[in-house]
Amino acid sequence: MDIRSEIKDFLTARRARISPAEAGLPTYGARRVPGLRREEVAVLAGVSVPYYKRLERGQAGGVSDSVLNALARALQLDKTERSHLFALMRAAAGPASRPRPRVHSVGPELQSVLDSITAAPAFVRTRHLDVIGANTLARALFFPAFSGTAGPVNSARFIFLDPRSRTFYGDWDEMANEAVAALHLATAQDPGDPGLSDLVEEFSLLSEDFRTRWSRQDVRRPGRGTKVLRHPEVGAIELAFEPLDVICDDGVTLFTCTPPPGTSAARALRQLGDWAGTKDLEYPPRATARLVTA
């Protein structure tokens, strides 16, 4: 991926969603573009039009935090979008060398933490959405994603390339939007990572749903929230997802999935635990072949 193209697409998408009226600007005559023009963004941010055009082309050398903050205010960015803008600009101003792909793994200590969580599913995921570790209940809960693959599971690959995901997730659209938004964040945090580029290229080639969402340039962090999953053995189960960044490994998050109080999910989890005892749910698998499509 070209980080300058990411900047252009992000800024273009953000200004397209704001009308002049929402920005407190007058409107004169017919408009050929949705949202704000480049000239209007420049006025709102207090910079010259040529300078803003250079920024939108990804020419970020020497840009100050004060200018980026002014740009974030002009485009009405939320906290996550603002952080993403700063990360994109830092990446564009940094060295152009192609970094090696980052390799994450779950060591014995972290796996011990996962295994000690016995009453709830728990798993560890990278910001590229690779699941690199899970406890028994998580392997049982996400059995449709884990089954049929000889290599590490990628959440976005399951969502966009495995038709079972549309039945498995109670709100497939929300899960799809969340996955794409997380991958967009990763483009600025891991600029030029060939592994991430390969993922985006794969999903763009094979999934129109992914391409449509990718073009929106939405960004947000996977956060806490309640999700409904339809497990083939225990039926619909409602769980509250709670993320916790793993301090010892940047870019890795531990998720726990707990039943909301007063729901039948706790009973379903117990049933799931009994069912897991009848299955071979080793993870990560011994083989390392990559799932292409489902």
Side-chain angles (χ1 to χ4, degrees):
M1 286 177 293
D2 179 6
I3 198 68
R4 291 190 174 187
S5 294
E6 283 293 302
I7 292 172
K8 178 180 181 296
D9 292 343
F10 178 68
L11 292 178
T12 300
R14 295 288 76 79
R15 63 182 172 87
R17 71 180 182 180
I18 304 172
S19 69
E22 291 171 328
L25 297 174
T27 301
Y28 301 105
R31 301 177 68 88
R32 293 182 298 173
V33 296
L36 297 176
R37 300 185 176 102
R38 294 183 182 89
E39 295 79 5
E40 292 167 331
V41 176
V43 169
L44 291 169
V47 299
S48 70
V49 174
Y51 185 66
Y52 173 74
K53 288 182 177 179
R54 288 199 298 273
L55 289 180
E56 195 170 282
R57 290 196 296 266
Q59 298 175 5
V63 62
S64 67
D65 287 356
S66 61
V67 167
L68 292 181
N69 281 321
L71 189 55
R73 289 192 296 270
L75 294 173
Q76 301 177 17
L77 304 185
D78 62 24
K79 182 178 179 181
T80 301
E81 292 169 333
R82 178 188 173 280
S83 296
H84 185 58
L85 173 64
F86 271 71
L88 285 172
M89 291 297 184
R90 284 194 296 268
S97 59
R98 187 173 176 86
R100 295 180 179 179
R102 300 185 63 183
V103 178
H104 297 282
S105 61
V106 171
E109 296 84 2
L110 186 51
Q111 186 60 53
S112 178
V113 171
L114 287 171
D115 292 337
S116 70
I117 303 173
T118 58
F123 62 94
V124 176
R125 193 175 72 181
T126 71
R127 57 182 167 225
H128 294 188
L129 307 187
D130 292 321
V131 178
I132 57 175
N135 67 359
T136 299
L137 269 180
R139 296 193 295 271
L141 177 64
F142 293 100
F143 182 75
F146 289 134
S147 63
T149 174
V153 169
N154 181 276
S155 297
R157 182 175 291 111
F158 176 63
I159 290 170
F160 288 104
L161 303 185
D162 192 327
R164 295 175 297 174
S165 68
R166 296 178 182 267
T167 301
F168 181 72
Y169 290 115
D171 190 341
W172 185 89
D173 282 322
E174 173 62 17
M175 295 301 300
N177 291 338
E178 184 179 288
V180 174
L183 289 177
H184 262 305
L185 280 180
T187 62
Q189 295 160 336
D190 296 328
D193 187 298
L196 178 58
S197 297
D198 289 346
L199 281 178
V200 173
E201 182 179 358
E202 175 188 357
F203 302 151
S204 297
L205 178 65
L206 298 176
S207 172
E208 182 178 355
D209 287 309
F210 180 86
R211 291 194 299 272
T212 299
R213 287 169 171 79
W214 186 258
S215 67
R216 297 174 188 164
Q217 291 288 320
D218 292 333
V219 294
R220 56 176 156 147
R221 301 185 186 282
R224 58 182 55 87
T226 301
K227 306 181 191 303
V228 175
L229 309 178
R230 300 191 186 99
H231 194 276
E233 293 294 326
V234 300
I237 178 170
E238 180 182 12
L239 296 171
F241 282 59
E242 185 72 26
L244 177 66
D245 288 339
V246 179
I247 298 175
C248 62
D249 194 344
D250 180 41
V252 172
T253 302
L254 187 153
F255 288 85
T256 59
C257 316
T258 56
T263 67
S264 61
R267 183 173 64 254
L269 280 181
R270 290 193 296 270
Q271 295 173 349
L272 200 58
D274 295 339
W275 177 80
T278 69
K279 298 289 181 180
D280 178 11
L281 300 176
E282 178 192 14
Y283 190 79
R286 295 186 183 90
T288 57
R290 187 176 179 184
L291 173 67
V292 178
T293 60

